[in-house]
Amino acid sequence: MTTSPSLSRPTRFWLVFATLGALSFDPAVADAEVAGDGLRLAHRELLVLEMLMRRAEWVLMRAAVEKAVYGYDDQIASNILDAHISRLRQKLEAVGRAWAIL
């Protein structure tokens, strides 16, 4: 994800369907599913999920995830990314999937 000089929000340049095991993400319609069952995720949770899925085999720096999820002008509380990841974990566990998001 990159940020346009005239905009403060991240813009997408990857509009490719992603799958990781039973988890799938379609950025064209901002939709995530586990084994065909839809996940109800907030916008920022979807952005976190997309970033983590696209780089599943890498260890990501916190700053890289924040840059992908938030615009330059966003006021970010110190624990907001932790809150998004926590809710994402809960929602994945609720559908019977316990992926490790560290």
Side-chain angles (χ1 to χ4, degrees), residues 17-54:
F17 191 84
T19 59
L20 185 62
L23 180 61
S24 62
F25 176 72
D26 186 352
V29 293
D31 182 49
E33 296 181 346
V34 175
D37 295 326
L39 283 176
R40 297 188 68 172
L41 301 176
H43 175 70
R44 302 283 185 177
E45 293 166 355
L46 282 168
L47 293 175
V48 170
L49 178 65
E50 179 182 18
M51 177 71 166
L52 295 175
M53 285 183 70
R54 296 210 182 277

Side-chain angles (χ1 to χ4, degrees), residues 67-89:
K67 184 177 179 182
V69 175
Y70 305 102
Y72 289 115
D73 294 336
D74 289 336
Q75 297 295 324
I76 305 169
S78 63
N79 66 340
I80 193 68
L81 183 59
D82 298 322
H84 292 310
I85 291 173
S86 176
R87 285 192 300 271
L88 185 55
R89 279 185 186 126

Side-chain angles (χ1 to χ4, degrees), residues 51-72:
M51 177 71 166
L52 295 175
M53 285 183 70
R54 296 210 182 277
R55 292 168 178 84
E57 64 280 350
W58 299 348
V59 174
L60 300 175
M61 300 293 289
R62 180 184 189 86
V65 178
E66 287 176 348
K67 184 177 179 182
V69 175
Y70 305 102
Y72 289 115

